[in-house]
C-alpha cells in the first residue's frame, strides 16, 4: 500500500498501529520549514507573537538500523593477546620453530611447561594461548603432558570421613595453590557448574593435598576427586596458527571493499544518525529510521545465514537492519492535540490483543529509554529541543531522570498509558519531526518464553497551522513526500 493510501485508510490526525522495529526519515534540518501551500502562511497567532495550534500526523517506520562498535572481548579479548616482548623466554624458540615448520620434543623442560601454564586464566586453568609476533596475532596449541582433576559426576555413597575436605568451616586453606585447586573443582551452589583443574606443572602442595584427601564436599554433596594426565607419552609438540577476524571477533568481518558502495553509504548514514541519540544506552550507538533499504543490501543479506560485522574505514561495526512488523504487535497507538492547551498533545498506547498475529495475553510490559510511552524531541536550527512530558497516566512509576534511563510499565488488557507532551513555547511556527520508540513483551498461552518486539514511529508536528489545513501537507513537509 502506498503511503498516501495508508494515510487515507487510517485517516485524520490520529493513527492506530501495531508493530516491531524499524527507522527512517529526512535529515533533521527539514524541521521548522514553511509548510504553507503555494508559499502562503496560513498559521494562526495567539496574539502575543507566538503560534500555538497543532496539527499532528503519526506514521509507522519501515526499517530501524542500529549501528555500534562491538566490544573486542566478544571474541578474543585483546587483553589476553601477549605481546612478543612479554612471551616467556622458554616459549620463544618453540614458537619460532612452530612457525618455521613445527616443534617437537621428547623431553619438554620444566620451564617450557611453566611458560604454557602462564597463559592459563581463571581458577579452572582455562588456556588462552594468544601471542603477537612481528605484529601478527597467533594462537598456539600445546600438546604437552597436562595434569587434570575434576569431581566425579555422581556423589560418593561410601567414603572414609578422614579423607574428605568438608565444605563448612574447613576452607581456611593456607596455601594459595591448594585453594585454587579446591575452588576450581567445587561448585558454589546446586545450580553452578563444577569445573576442571588443568596444569602442565602440578604444584608440590597440590600433590601433598592429594595424598591426604580423596574427596571434596560442595553444594552438591561429597564426590571423589578424579585425576588424569593428558598427552602423557612423547612425542610432544606445539603448533601455531594465525588468528582470523572470525577468531578475534567471534563472527566473520566483511571489509567495505567487498560491499556495494550504495550499502556502504547506507551504513555510514546509520553510523552518523542521531535520530534517537539521547535515549540510546551508550554514546557510540546510533539508530537510523529508514524508509528504504538498498536492494544491494537485501541481496547481500540473503546470501548469509549468520550475522557478520563490517569493517568501514578501518573500524569494525555491528550494523543491524531491522524490518518493522506492525502486524504482529498487540498494541494500538494514537496521538491527538490537547483540548486545554494549544501547544500540548497526548500520545496514548494501549494493549490491543486483536491486532496481534497470533494469541496474546497480559500482562503487557512496555519499556523505553528516557520516558514512557517514549522520549520525544525535535530540532530547530540544529538544536535538539526536548518535548517535555507535563502529565502521564497509567505509566506506573516515575519517569527516568536520565535521557538514557530505562522506563518500565506493565498493563493488563483494557488498560492504557497516556503522556501529555508540551511543544516548547518559543518554537516558531513550522513543520517539525519527532521520532519515538518503545518495546513491548507479552505472553502467549502455552508458550515460554514470552513474545517481544519494538514499535518505532515518526510524528509530524505542525505548529501554528489551522485545523482546516489538509494533513497531506504536513506529511509532505515533515517526511519529504511530495504528491
Amino acid at each position: 500500500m502506498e503511503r498516501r493510501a495508508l494515510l487515507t485508510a487510517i485517516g485524520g490526525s490520529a493513527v492506530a498501529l501495531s508493530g516491531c522495529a524499524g527507522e527512517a526519515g529526512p535529515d533533521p534540518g527539514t524541521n521548522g520549514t514553511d509548510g504553507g501551500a503555494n508559499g502562503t502562511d496560513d498559521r494562526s497567532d495567539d496574539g502575543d507573537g507566538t503560534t500555538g495550534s497543532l496539527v499532528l500526523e503519526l506514521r509507522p517506520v519501515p526499517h530501524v538500523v542500529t549501528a555500534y562498535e562491538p566490544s573486542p572481548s566478544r571474541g578474543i579479548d585483546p587483553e589476553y593477546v601477549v605481546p612478543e616482548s612479554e612471551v616467556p623466554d622458554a616459549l620463544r624458540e618453540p614458537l619460532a620453530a612452530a612457525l618455521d615448520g613445527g616443534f617437537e620434543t621428547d623431553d619438554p623442560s620444566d620451564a617450557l611447561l611453566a611458560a604454557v601454564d602462564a597463559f592459563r586464566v581463571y581458577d579452572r586453568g582455562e588456556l588462552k594461548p594468544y601471542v603477537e609476533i612481528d605484529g601478527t596475532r597467533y594462537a598456539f596449541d600445546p600438546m604437552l603432558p597436562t595434569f587434570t582433576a575434576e569431581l566425579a559426576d555422581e556423589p560418593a555413597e561410601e567414603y572414609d570421613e578422614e579423607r574428605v575436605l568438608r565444605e563448612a568451616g574447613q576452607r581456611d586453606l593456607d596455601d594459595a595453590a591448594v585453594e585454587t585447586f579446591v575452588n576450581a573443582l567445587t561448585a558454589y551452589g546446586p545450580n553452578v557448574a563444577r569445573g576442571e583443574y588443568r596444569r602442565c606443572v602440578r604444584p608440590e602442595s597440590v600433590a601433598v593435598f592429594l595424598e591426604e584427601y580423596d574427596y571434596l564436599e560442595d553444594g552438591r554433596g561429597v564426590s571423589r576427586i578424579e585425576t588424569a594426565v593428558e598427552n602423557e607419552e612423547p612425542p610432544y609438540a606445539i603448533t601455531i596458527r594465525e588468528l582470523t577476524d572470525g577468531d578475534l571477533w567471534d563472527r566473520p568481518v566483511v571489509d567495505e571493499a567487498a560491499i556495494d558502495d550504495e550499502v556502504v553509504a547506507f551504513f555510514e548514514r546509520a553510523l552518523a544518525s542521531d535520530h534517537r541519540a539521547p535515549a540510546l544506552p551508550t554514546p557510540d550507538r546510533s539508530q537510523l529510521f529508514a524508509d528504504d533499504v538498498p536492494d544491494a543490501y537485501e541481496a547481500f543479506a540473503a546470501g548469509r545465514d549468520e550475522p557478520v560485522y563490517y569493517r568501514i574505514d578501518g573500524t569494525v561495526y555491528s550494523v543491524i537492519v531491522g524490518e518493522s512488523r506492525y502486524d504482529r504487535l498487540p498494541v494500538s497507538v494514537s496521538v491527538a492535540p490537547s483540548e486545554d492547551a494549544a501547544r500540548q498533545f497526548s500520545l496514548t498506547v494501549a494493549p490491543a490483543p486483536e491486532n496481534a498475529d497470533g494469541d496474546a495475553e497480559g500482562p503487557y510490559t512496555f519499556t523505553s529509554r528516557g520516558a514512557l510511552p517514549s522520549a520525544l524531541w525535535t530540532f530547530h536550527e540544529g538544536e535538539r529541543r526536548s518535548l517535555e512530558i507535563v502529565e502521564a497516566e497509567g505509566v506506573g512509576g516515575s519517569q527516568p531522570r536520565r535521557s538514557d534511563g530505562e522506563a518500565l510499565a506493565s498493563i493488563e488488557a483494557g488498560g492504557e498509558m497516556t503522556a501529555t507532551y508540551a511543544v516548547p513555547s518559543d518554537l516558531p511556527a513550522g513543520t517539525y519531526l519527532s521520532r519515538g520508540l518503545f518495546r513491548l513483551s507479552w505472553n502467549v498461552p502455552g508458550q515460554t518464553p514470552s513474545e517481544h518486539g519494538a514499535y518505532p514511529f515518526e510524528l509530524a508536528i505542525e505548529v501554528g497551522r489551522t485545523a482546516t489545513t489538509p494533513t497531506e501537507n504536513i506529511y509532505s513537509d515533515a517526511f519529504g513526500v511530495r504528491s
Side-chain angles (χ1 to χ4, degrees):
M1 181 183 292
E2 295 182 356
R3 291 182 193 140
R4 189 170 300 285
L6 176 64
L7 279 176
T8 302
I10 54 186
S13 62
V15 180
L17 309 167
S18 23
C20 186
E23 299 205 14
D27 185 274
T30 59
N31 287 323
T33 57
D34 183 351
N38 303 318
T40 61
D41 186 0
D42 56 3
R43 301 173 179 84
S44 60
D45 190 284
D46 292 340
D48 58 358
T50 65
T51 53
S53 58
L54 299 180
V55 179
L56 307 163
E57 193 70 48
L58 182 70
R59 78 153 195 169
V61 175
H63 301 279
V64 173
V65 186
T66 302
Y68 62 93
E69 293 184 38
S71 169
S73 62
R74 290 182 62 90
I76 295 174
D77 195 326
E79 176 183 336
Y80 293 124
V81 180
V82 176
E84 187 170 6
S85 61
E86 297 179 16
V87 173
D89 292 340
L91 192 57
R92 289 175 182 271
E93 289 189 10
L95 290 181
L99 280 171
D100 196 34
F103 171 79
E104 278 195 5
T105 180
D106 289 338
D107 185 22
S109 67
D110 290 344
L112 175 58
L113 297 176
V116 171
D117 281 340
F119 287 80
R120 299 189 193 277
V121 296
Y122 311 126
D123 288 348
R124 299 178 180 186
E126 182 181 353
L127 186 67
K128 293 189 179 290
Y130 311 123
V131 294
E132 184 173 304
I133 300 174
D134 292 334
T136 302
R137 293 174 173 179
Y138 299 93
F140 66 89
D141 182 15
M143 290 166 281
L144 299 170
T146 304
F147 170 79
T148 69
E150 60 184 341
L151 294 182
D153 292 335
E154 299 297 327
E157 295 182 358
E158 296 181 2
Y159 47 84
D160 182 349
E161 183 65 38
E162 292 185 356
R163 298 190 65 80
V164 179
L165 179 67
R166 288 287 180 183
E167 180 181 37
Q170 298 190 35
R171 291 292 174 83
D172 295 330
L173 303 170
D174 56 5
D175 184 90
V178 172
E179 184 174 6
T180 295
F181 175 82
V182 171
N183 289 340
L185 271 60
T186 54
Y188 301 105
N191 297 320
V192 179
R194 288 169 166 174
E196 183 183 33
Y197 179 89
R198 303 178 63 85
R199 293 290 187 280
C200 289
V201 179
R202 181 179 63 175
E204 182 61 29
S205 58
V206 172
V208 172
F209 175 86
L210 290 171
E211 291 177 359
E212 183 177 356
Y213 296 102
D214 293 322
Y215 304 89
L216 288 176
E217 182 191 44
D218 64 1
R220 298 184 180 183
V222 175
S223 300
R224 174 178 287 277
I225 303 170
E226 297 182 339
T227 64
V229 176
E230 294 181 355
N231 304 317
E232 191 169 8
E233 299 296 331
Y236 307 109
I238 294 178
T239 57
I240 193 169
R241 67 178 180 86
E242 185 175 343
L243 291 172
T244 65
D245 278 339
D247 294 323
L248 294 168
W249 292 97
D250 197 31
R251 68 176 58 178
V253 177
V254 180
D255 194 82
E256 65 179 298
I259 310 172
D260 187 276
D261 289 346
E262 185 182 15
V263 176
V264 174
F266 178 62
F267 288 172
E268 290 175 338
R269 279 180 55 210
L271 291 165
S273 170
D274 60 358
H275 286 182
R276 294 287 296 167
L280 296 174
T282 57
D284 62 349
R285 186 176 293 255
S286 62
Q287 282 188 328
L288 173 72
F289 284 27
D291 282 331
D292 302 298
V293 172
D295 292 340
Y297 173 79
E298 299 281 10
F300 175 85
R304 295 188 175 273
D305 56 4
E306 61 178 337
V308 300
Y309 289 146
Y310 304 91
R311 182 178 283 107
I312 299 174
D313 197 22
T315 301
V316 173
Y317 296 100
S318 172
V319 183
I320 303 168
V321 180
E323 182 178 0
S324 299
R325 288 290 309 278
Y326 294 94
D327 60 339
R328 65 175 295 271
L329 290 192
V331 65
S332 67
V333 181
S334 61
V335 63
S338 171
E339 296 180 358
D340 302 321
R343 286 212 169 212
Q344 295 182 9
F345 66 90
S346 62
L347 179 67
T348 300
V349 176
E354 67 279 6
N355 290 346
D357 180 13
D359 293 334
E361 64 180 13
Y364 301 86
T365 301
F366 295 84
T367 60
S368 178
R369 291 191 176 274
L372 278 172
S374 176
L376 295 177
W377 50 85
T378 190
F379 280 89
H380 175 59
E381 296 182 347
E383 179 185 0
R384 188 183 295 272
R385 303 297 302 275
S386 176
L387 305 185
E388 180 186 357
I389 294 179
V390 295
E391 185 179 2
E393 298 179 4
V395 173
S398 60
Q399 301 278 19
R401 295 182 179 179
R402 290 168 51 95
S403 61
D404 60 351
E406 191 83 37
L408 180 149
S410 290
I411 302 175
E412 296 291 345
E416 66 179 26
M417 60 178 163
T418 300
T420 300
Y421 297 80
V423 176
S425 60
D426 60 345
L427 204 63
T431 302
Y432 298 88
L433 177 62
S434 188
R435 299 177 174 93
L437 185 147
F438 62 82
R439 299 187 181 276
L440 169 66
S441 63
W442 67 96
N443 294 325
V444 174
Q447 174 182 310
T448 302
S450 60
E451 289 284 352
H452 60 89
Y455 189 106
F457 61 89
E458 291 185 327
L459 177 64
I461 306 170
E462 180 69 10
V463 178
R465 189 182 288 272
T466 63
T468 58
T469 300
T471 58
E472 287 87 345
N473 287 346
I474 294 186
Y475 188 75
S476 298
D477 293 345
F479 298 117
V481 179
R482 303 298 177 188
S483 57

